[in-house]
Amino acid sequence: KNEVEQSPQNLTAQEGEFITINCSYSVGISALHWLQQHPGGGIVSLFMLSSGKKKHGRLIATINIQEKHSSLHITASHPRDSAVYICAVGGIESNFGNEKLTFGTGTRLTIIP
Amino acid sequence: EPEVTQTPSHQVTQMGQEVILRCVPISNHLYFYWYRQILGQKVEFLVSFYNNEISEKSEIFDDQFSVERPDGSNFTLKIRSTKLEDSAMYFCASNPSGLVYNEQFFGPGTRLTVL
């Protein structure tokens, strides 16, 4: 069973700050997803990573497969970035091709104007 | 842009009653999932569905739960006799091919409240 840990659990920052959210997992995977959950509860997929780095606008996600670790960065943070950010992993090493996701507990981000 | 839809957005029911949560996945997707999130807790996998049968289910998905795709478009989750601990947000998701390399598209969720 894959354990997915995120840190920090809560993060409050001033508008414009550079944000880093971390995710570690215990078992080798095929892919890692970063998701965003807004206060209403809806979940939006931000990134899917299997190696290296991806960038969408002000969001950057990196993954180190050997260290079983990923980070999500937000540059020039804005109050509209306030949400819960969730790391989810799939394709556990012992059963590659397994399509279900195992979720972390989420990081609640609050950006103050 | 295609999206996953779910109905109802909020369902309130009495303990012991049956509920059916409905989802319409994206039309050309092949794998469908139900996840749930108890308030304040992490999202948990319930079941995956492919080719009109369950592909995998978690230990949460006991005999009280069932899924079906009755008409080729809707994907439903039925809870036969609801318990207080079934109160949660239920998310449907779909994936084009089932591979974890593909993005999973989530619906907006159904908030189930069992009284």
Side-chain angles (χ1 to χ4, degrees), chain A residues 58-73:
Chain A
R58 294 180 295 105
L59 301 178
I60 303 165
T62 63
I63 189 168
N64 185 318
I65 296 292
Q66 287 73 32
E67 294 188 4
K68 298 186 179 62
H69 180 269
S70 175
S71 294
L72 176 68
H73 306 286

Side-chain angles (χ1 to χ4, degrees), chain A residues 37-43 82-84 108, chain B residues 9 37 89 91 107-111:
Chain A
Q37 185 171 33
H38 278 282
I43 294 174
S82 298
V84 174
R108 183 174 301 278
Chain B
S9 56
Q37 185 179 33
M89 182 78 99
F91 292 101
T110 293
R111 184 169 299 283

